[in-house]
């Protein structure tokens, strides 16, 4: 049978929450189109209930993920890069359609996203060396500062960089032991939803990353106000929404990562995500624990604060 005589089998996209693929609790979907306005697929439109379910899943997964060794987390992240490499052609098609790129340019973006994931995988057991260390004190004590993950982080993904920007905001959050609730780009959610399939078939425990699609403001508002969310990344928010979410986040003193000047006021569309990422996103959601311990062999056990 020739290709002209067969019907195409269209993909059904679903949310990724707690290691599973539910439809939106509300049953709603919305049309996703390419840069020319042509229909690509229907994506689930998440509700407030979906956001709350994602936070529950992220909190449940936090203990095991944050308790894993940094070396093990690096192995898991590298496995994700392997799975992305194996599904490169699919992501090239989705990125090309989502961002209006040629196939060659989309392939370069996918390659950069895979490389970016490997880069963060390599940092898991090294970030403690640059963000912690021994502190000089006057007295017979060791004084050591060590970084620890903040907890559950809500991440508003970039609105236009559907894969490279997405990877650039998710990978550093989980590399440092946090768990994430990700709000995908409303305009270009398909690579994010497909990334959920990659995570599910890699070694990332269910709940470590949860991916929601829909209207960003509708999903982000309950996340910013949620008492069990410890931090929020506002990269994908415009100036008005970022201000609103920051006010809501203050209720339980969430750590807030504000968009950088190039990303602010809706300019995340023009952010150069291919630039060297640096370590600021790795350290953005780390807390520092300081431990004192007497140097004498007969001293009492150390204390921390």
């Amino acid at each position: 049978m020739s290709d002209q005589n067969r019907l195409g089998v269209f993909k059904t996209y679903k949310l990724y929450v707690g290691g599973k693929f539910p439809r939106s609790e509300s049953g709603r979907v919305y049309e996703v189109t390419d840069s020319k306005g042509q229909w690509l697929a229907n994506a689930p439109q998440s509700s407030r209930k979906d956001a709350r379910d994602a936070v529950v899943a992220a909190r449940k997964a936090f203990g095991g993920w944050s308790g894993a060794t940094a070396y093990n987390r690096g192995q898991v992240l590298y496995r994700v890069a392997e799975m992305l490499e194996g599904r490169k052609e699919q992501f090239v098609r989705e990125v090309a359609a989502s961002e209006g790129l040629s196939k060659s340019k989309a392939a370069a973006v996918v390659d950069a996203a895979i490389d970016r994931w490997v880069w963060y995988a390599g940092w898991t057991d090294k970030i403690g060396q640059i963000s912690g260390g021994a502190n000089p004190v006057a007295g017979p004590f060791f004084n050591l500062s060590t970084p620890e993950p903040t907890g559950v982080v809500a991440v508003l993904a970039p609105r236009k960089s559907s894969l490279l920007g997405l990877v650039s905001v998710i990978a550093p959050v989980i590399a440092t032991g946090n768990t994430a609730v990700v709000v995908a780009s409303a305009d270009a959610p398909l690579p994010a939803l497909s990334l959920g399939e990659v995570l599910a078939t890699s070694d990332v425990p269910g709940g470590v990353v949860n991916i929601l699609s829909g209207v960003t403001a509708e999903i982000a508002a309950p996340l910013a106000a949620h008492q069990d969310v410890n931090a929020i990344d506002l990269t994908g928010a415009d100036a008005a929404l970022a201000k609103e979410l920051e006010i809501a986040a203050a209720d339980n003193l969430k750590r807030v990562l504000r968009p950088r000047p190039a990303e602010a006021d809706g300019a995340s569309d023009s952010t150069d995500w291919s630039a060297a990422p640096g370590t600021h996103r790795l350290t953005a959601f780390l807390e520092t624990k300081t431990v004192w311990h007497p140097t004498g062999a007969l001293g009492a056990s150390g204390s921390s604060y």
Side-chain angles (χ1 to χ4, degrees):
M1 182 181 294
S2 68
D3 290 341
Q4 292 179 345
N5 294 328
R6 69 178 297 272
L7 294 175
V9 179
F10 293 97
K11 181 174 178 178
T12 300
Y13 290 86
K14 296 182 180 180
L15 307 176
Y16 182 57
V17 177
K20 299 179 181 179
F21 296 94
R23 290 180 170 85
S24 173
E25 170 272 339
S26 66
R28 298 178 300 171
V29 298
Y30 70 101
E31 289 188 359
V32 179
T33 59
D34 64 14
S35 59
K36 298 178 181 178
Q38 296 179 325
W39 181 82
L40 294 174
N42 289 332
Q45 186 170 331
S46 302
S47 66
R48 289 172 175 264
K49 176 66 163 53
D50 294 318
R52 292 195 297 269
D53 289 345
V55 173
V56 170
R59 177 57 61 192
K60 184 177 180 181
F62 176 69
W65 183 244
S66 62
T69 65
Y71 179 73
N72 178 245
R73 286 199 298 270
Q75 290 178 309
V76 171
L77 263 70
Y78 188 81
R79 176 61 176 164
V80 175
E82 289 179 342
M83 300 299 290
L84 277 170
E85 186 79 32
R87 297 178 64 166
K88 184 186 297 185
E89 291 186 7
Q90 173 196 346
F91 280 95
V92 168
R93 291 194 303 270
E94 291 180 339
V95 169
S98 296
E99 301 182 24
L101 301 177
S102 66
K103 186 175 180 179
S104 60
K105 289 183 178 180
V109 168
V110 174
D111 286 342
I114 296 169
D115 293 346
R116 181 66 46 86
W117 202 283
V118 172
W119 192 84
Y120 279 116
W123 269 104
T124 57
D125 58 354
K126 301 173 183 67
I127 190 63
Q129 308 302 313
I130 67 168
S131 60
N135 307 310
V137 293
F141 298 97
F142 292 119
N143 182 261
L144 305 174
S145 293
T146 57
E148 293 189 343
T150 296
V152 175
V153 181
V155 179
L156 308 189
R159 289 182 290 165
K160 294 298 182 184
S161 185
S162 61
L163 184 63
L164 179 55
L166 177 77
V167 166
S168 298
V169 296
I170 294 179
V173 169
I174 65 172
T176 47
N178 299 287
T179 56
V181 177
V182 182
V183 181
S185 163
D187 296 328
L190 303 188
L193 297 175
S194 289
L195 179 63
E197 298 171 9
V198 169
L199 297 172
T201 52
S202 63
D203 298 325
V204 180
V208 171
V209 178
N210 305 274
I211 301 176
L212 306 173
S213 60
V215 180
T216 300
E218 184 177 334
I219 309 168
L223 292 175
H226 201 297
Q227 297 298 300
D228 214 19
V229 173
N230 303 104
I232 186 167
D233 180 349
L234 299 176
T235 295
D238 60 28
L241 179 59
K243 182 177 180 180
E244 176 186 331
L245 297 178
E246 192 165 354
I247 292 172
D251 193 45
N252 73 331
L253 302 180
K254 286 180 180 62
R255 179 170 289 214
V256 176
L257 180 60
R258 300 169 181 85
R260 288 190 159 193
E263 303 165 4
D265 203 21
S268 59
D269 300 357
S270 59
T271 299
D272 182 10
W273 291 103
S274 64
T279 59
H280 78 282
R281 288 190 175 275
L282 285 164
T283 57
F285 302 116
L286 287 175
E287 308 288 346
T288 301
K289 181 178 77 172
T290 300
V291 178
W292 292 75
H293 197 290
T295 57
L298 300 179
S301 60
S303 59
S304 62
Y305 62 87

